[in-house]
Amino acid sequence: MTAPVVLYAGKPAEREAYATCLPAAAVAAGQDITLIMDVDGVDRAAVDYLVLAPSGPLTDFTGFSRLKAILNLWAGVEQALALPLPQDVPLVRMVEEGLSLGMLDYVTGHVMRHHLGFDALVGSKAPVPWGSNAPPLAQDRRVTLLGTGVLGRACAERLALNGFNVTGWSRSAKTIPGIRNLHGNDGLAEALDGAEILVLLLPETAATRQIIDAAAIARLAPGAAIVNAGRGPLIDNDALLRALDAGDLGHATLDVFDVEPLPDDHPFWRHPKITVTPHIASVTRPETASRALISQIGRGERGEPFKHVVQRDAGY
């Protein structure tokens, strides 16, 4: 049986890592592949699987006549959907252990930071009232996550395991044991009402852009904190700044932005109630991602349906 041809069309800076990790993952899984690491001069009609980073070197997708799947290297698919990809080929989202573990670390760390009020203590030079302002127990802290897909579910389960009072919201109904599950427009209002820490893990779609506007912020508990590790356009930036300045919000920790890298003159950099992190909450790691890629290729070669196929009309 001829080994499937896999073309790497990711970032040149990661080519060496994937040149090592993909064959190693294939050997470990017992899956033969023919790996091509350079898009220039490749026989496109011979390629079975395209490993794609939307910011990579490939922008013209003509001639890939026998593709079985396009395997996106990123969890987000907005930029991939903006490319002229062949419409009859499944586009598969990246779901891999490293992404989940990285997001768990980021979200848990910043939720705990806001819960314990560390910003007022770490690095403080002025005396603080001794023995006062102890945080509530985690079970009494209301945390809401918007977006309970693979990453959101993992974070919701971890926060619930840490004792938090967790509400999860999604566009369609889902059930995650141990948390309050809400969905749809009515459920969104209920999920926001009184939330003290709001975590955003939604994809960017027409329905989610600026889902956190002035009206949504007004539903949160006074002084609430927002952690955005989903997509920058989920938040109305002007409404966010107004709420922070007015004291309606206590803090915002932002890892994603409308424009990235965040411009040097952006007001977020200078705002005392905003923490900027440089899109580090969750990144695709070649070693763990390679195992996920080979698993998908194995499914294709066995005639099994791919996992995590993108619903193009829904945008995720």
Side-chain angles (χ1 to χ4, degrees):
M1 184 175 180
T2 304
V5 175
V6 180
L7 175 63
Y8 174 82
K11 295 180 180 179
E14 295 181 337
R15 183 182 291 122
E16 183 176 348
Y18 279 100
T20 300
C21 292
L22 275 169
V27 169
Q31 174 65 58
D32 289 336
I33 63 170
T34 297
L35 180 61
I36 300 174
M37 298 300 298
D38 193 347
V39 300
D40 294 330
V42 67
D43 179 4
R44 296 186 172 203
V47 175
D48 297 290
Y49 298 93
L50 180 60
V51 175
L52 177 71
S55 64
L58 194 59
T59 57
D60 174 15
F61 298 88
T62 58
F64 290 104
S65 57
R66 80 176 200 191
L67 277 184
K68 299 175 183 178
I70 301 168
L71 306 175
N72 197 44
L73 279 169
W74 300 352
V77 297
E78 297 89 354
Q79 292 188 44
L81 289 173
L83 295 171
L85 302 177
Q87 295 298 302
D88 58 343
V89 179
L91 173 62
V92 178
R93 287 188 297 113
M94 174 55 70
V95 176
E96 57 101 355
E97 182 184 22
L99 278 169
S100 296
L101 293 176
M103 188 63 81
L104 279 173
D105 290 346
Y106 185 93
V107 168
T108 304
H110 285 290
V111 167
M112 194 65 77
R113 165 187 154 226
H114 291 304
H115 165 61
L116 295 175
F118 278 168
D119 286 3
L121 303 174
V122 175
S124 175
K125 301 300 182 184
V128 295
W130 203 254
S132 63
N133 300 319
L137 298 176
Q139 66 187 19
D140 298 320
R141 180 72 77 187
R142 291 168 292 176
V143 179
T144 287
L145 286 91
L146 301 190
T148 52
V150 173
L151 298 179
R153 180 185 180 116
C155 290
E157 291 173 337
R158 172 69 64 82
L159 292 171
L161 187 62
N162 286 350
F164 287 102
N165 180 354
V166 180
T167 295
W169 178 87
S170 56
R171 299 297 302 179
S172 57
K174 294 179 182 177
T175 300
I176 303 174
I179 76 166
R180 182 172 67 146
N181 300 274
L182 300 172
H183 70 280
N185 291 334
D186 293 340
L188 176 61
E190 188 176 351
L192 293 171
D193 284 342
E196 296 170 282
I197 302 175
L198 176 66
V199 180
L200 305 179
L201 291 172
L202 290 165
E204 180 191 348
T205 68
T208 63
R209 291 187 193 104
Q210 297 198 355
I211 192 170
I212 302 304
D213 55 11
I217 291 171
R219 289 186 171 275
L220 304 177
I226 292 177
V227 178
N228 187 10
R231 291 290 179 266
L234 300 179
I235 298 178
D236 179 335
N237 291 340
D238 292 336
L240 176 70
L241 288 168
R242 287 194 299 269
L244 289 167
D245 291 340
D248 299 328
L249 284 178
H251 202 94
T253 295
L254 309 175
D255 188 59
V256 287
F257 308 92
D258 292 353
V259 176
E260 296 186 9
L262 188 65
D264 292 346
D265 60 350
H266 199 285
F268 285 175
W269 286 115
R270 302 183 301 276
H271 202 288
K273 294 182 179 180
I274 293 178
T275 299
V276 170
T277 59
H279 205 141
I280 57 170
S282 187
V283 298
T284 305
R285 290 163 169 81
E287 183 175 358
T288 49
S290 291
R291 294 198 290 266
L293 291 167
I294 294 300
S295 176
Q296 293 280 22
I297 290 168
R299 296 183 69 86
E301 292 306 288
R302 294 189 298 270
E304 300 172 6
F306 298 106
K307 291 184 176 181
H308 316 301
V309 175
V310 174
Q311 304 171 56
R312 300 193 190 206
D313 55 343
Y316 58 88

